[in-house]
Amino acid sequence: MASYKMSIIWVSSAVLLIGWVITQDQATWTTTQTIHSCNWTCMLFTLQWPGSFCLNIDNKNICRIPHNIHNWTIHGLWPLNDHYCCSCWPIFHSHLQELEPDLCQLWPSFIKTRSNFTFWKDEWLKHGTCAGCVESMSSPFLYFRTVLKLRALFDIDNVLASAGIKPSCNVSYKYDELHGALVPLLGDNFVLQCVTGDEEREAWVQLKIHFSKNITLGCQAEDELKSSRVMTPTNGHPCPKNTTIFYFPINYEHPKQPCT
Ligand SMILES: *[C@@H]1O[C@H](CO)[C@@H](O)[C@H](O)[C@H]1NC(C)=O
Ligand SMILES: *[C@@H]1O[C@H](CO)[C@@H](O)[C@H](O)[C@H]1NC(C)=O
Ligand SMILES: *[C@@H]1O[C@H](CO)[C@@H](O)[C@H](O)[C@H]1NC(C)=O
Ligand SMILES: *[C@@H]1O[C@H](CO)[C@@H](O)[C@H](O)[C@H]1NC(C)=O
Ligand SMILES: *[C@@H]1O[C@H](CO)[C@@H](O)[C@H](O)[C@H]1NC(C)=O
Ligand SMILES: *[C@@H]1O[C@H](CO)[C@@H](O)[C@H](O)[C@H]1NC(C)=O
């Protein structure tokens, strides 16, 4: 019974892969619930700042920032307006073996009860299986390798450091200072996300960068971006322009209260 099921899965993924090779972007495939037709046009490349990641995690004992993490880390690469495109496409730890040292450094889990691999697996199933209709992301290995390449190309840490934007507990920044520091690298193709910390302080926690389906910076589909903002509740809210914003340092001992 089990092996019969496996062969069905295998056959349908083989058909699926052939489908992609032949029809490229227009591939259509079916899961038990929906037809996914690779109809998205933009993606969000989302980076997170470990210094404020734990601020809005309710359970204060569950959050942990490993001591080897000092820089912005990856949250994910997400095609807009589609997710969980195929439960037929499993990912195994062995697929990522070659990439694992980089993934651990750049795409770690900060939740104690969720292993690094579980985080990667969840991101693959929710988002990677949708991105997988594009050739350069058409397997777990290729998807994760592409995301690591993007992280290397968009070196946020260096750009911020050279603009004099440093993590601090006692200095906060105007929206325009943070935004302006990134424009030379990213143009206007990004959104800053904040969370509200202790004493109502706004803390910068995420950076969402817009990419086209062909993995170039920017998204032409403004309407798609707008509807995704309404549709997908995420960590935090757009950083406010009417108050200053903290860029908290990473506090490994008290990640939920970096500045108390
Ligand atoms: C793409 O197709 C899926 C599945 O039919 C649908 O849920 C989604 O809204 C579509 N997205 C766009 C941008 O049309
Ligand atoms: C997960 O990644 C973190 C951060 O790099 C690392 O410290 C930790 O050892 C990794 N966990 C495992 C089980 O590899
Ligand atoms: C972390 O960021 C610093 C710049 O602030 C940079 O020099 C260093 O190479 C980065 N490390 C990694 C692993 O990206
Ligand atoms: C501001 O905080 C930094 C550490 O985040 C510290 O090194 C510096 O001395 C502080 N400056 C003042 C004026 O308190
Ligand atoms: C990528 O797609 C965008 C938007 O569709 C387009 O403007 C751009 O020319 C494409 N770039 C490449 C290298 O194909
Ligand atoms: C900033 O604006 C938001 C809504 O636009 C409002 O809720 C908030 O109270 C304002 N904050 C300050 C400090 O004026």
Side-chain angles (χ1 to χ4, degrees):
M1 189 60 188
S3 76
Y4 172 70
K5 246 188 192 163
M6 275 313 290
S7 65
I8 296 277
I9 291 171
W10 191 86
V11 168
S12 42
S13 7
V15 167
L16 209 155
L17 290 171
I18 291 162
W20 284 343
V21 171
I22 295 170
T23 61
Q24 303 263 343
D25 282 6
Q26 299 308 315
T28 299
W29 68 101
T30 315
T31 67
T32 43
Q33 301 92 28
T34 359
I35 293 170
H36 295 268
S37 49
C38 205
N39 56 354
W40 51 273
T41 53
C42 295
M43 300 184 285
L44 294 179
F45 178 42
T46 304
L47 297 170
Q48 56 195 13
W49 175 241
S52 23
F53 175 86
C54 300
L55 260 54
N56 69 340
I57 305 291
D58 289 337
N59 179 341
K60 73 171 180 191
N61 297 317
I62 215 173
C63 209
R64 174 200 49 192
I65 310 298
H67 282 79
N68 60 329
I69 301 299
H70 313 291
N71 287 347
W72 284 79
T73 62
I74 298 162
H75 188 170
L77 180 66
W78 310 331
L80 281 180
N81 299 329
D82 215 351
H83 53 261
Y84 296 112
C85 286
C86 194
S87 55
C88 63
W89 206 351
I91 176 172
F92 296 99
H93 207 150
S94 59
H95 289 152
L96 302 179
Q97 210 163 14
E98 194 184 310
L99 303 174
E100 185 151 359
D102 287 342
L103 288 172
C104 279
Q105 188 63 46
L106 298 168
W107 201 334
S109 166
F110 296 144
I111 304 294
K112 279 184 199 165
T113 51
R114 193 186 199 193
S115 72
N116 295 328
F117 178 68
T118 305
F119 183 26
W120 306 332
K121 180 177 155 191
D122 291 348
E123 288 290 315
W124 164 255
L125 291 174
K126 185 166 183 187
H127 306 288
T129 54
C130 299
C133 64
V134 171
E135 187 175 6
S136 56
M137 299 184 280
S138 57
S139 74
F141 175 81
L142 290 172
Y143 173 71
F144 285 92
R145 193 181 65 174
T146 294
V147 181
L148 288 173
K149 276 189 192 159
L150 281 184
R151 176 64 183 83
L153 276 174
F154 294 90
D155 189 351
I156 304 307
D157 303 275
N158 271 318
V159 169
L160 291 172
S162 49
I165 310 273
K166 294 191 215 77
S168 170
C169 286
N170 47 27
V171 176
S172 60
Y173 296 94
K174 293 200 187 84
Y175 176 88
D176 285 342
E177 292 177 277
L178 299 179
H179 187 269
L182 294 171
V183 166
L185 179 68
L186 301 175
D188 200 22
N189 304 297
F190 66 97
V191 174
L192 307 177
Q193 293 267 309
C194 280
V195 288
T196 308
D198 288 347
E199 298 161 22
E200 300 295 301
R201 286 182 293 187
E202 289 292 325
W204 186 16
V205 67
Q206 285 204 128
L207 176 62
K208 292 181 172 175
I209 310 172
H210 306 154
F211 277 88
S212 299
K213 195 178 207 165
N214 59 14
I215 325 186
T216 56
L217 186 62
C219 168
Q220 319 299 308
E222 276 303 322
D223 48 334
E224 220 177 274
L225 275 177
K226 263 195 211 110
S227 72
S228 81
R229 262 174 228 141
V230 180
M231 304 281 291
T232 44
T234 48
N235 290 341
H237 46 257
C239 289
K241 298 181 182 169
N242 59 356
T243 180
T244 60
I245 297 161
F246 282 88
Y247 182 31
F248 286 142
I250 301 175
N251 183 329
Y252 301 97
E253 277 67 46
H254 307 286
K256 202 172 155 54
Q257 276 150 337
C259 287
T260 49

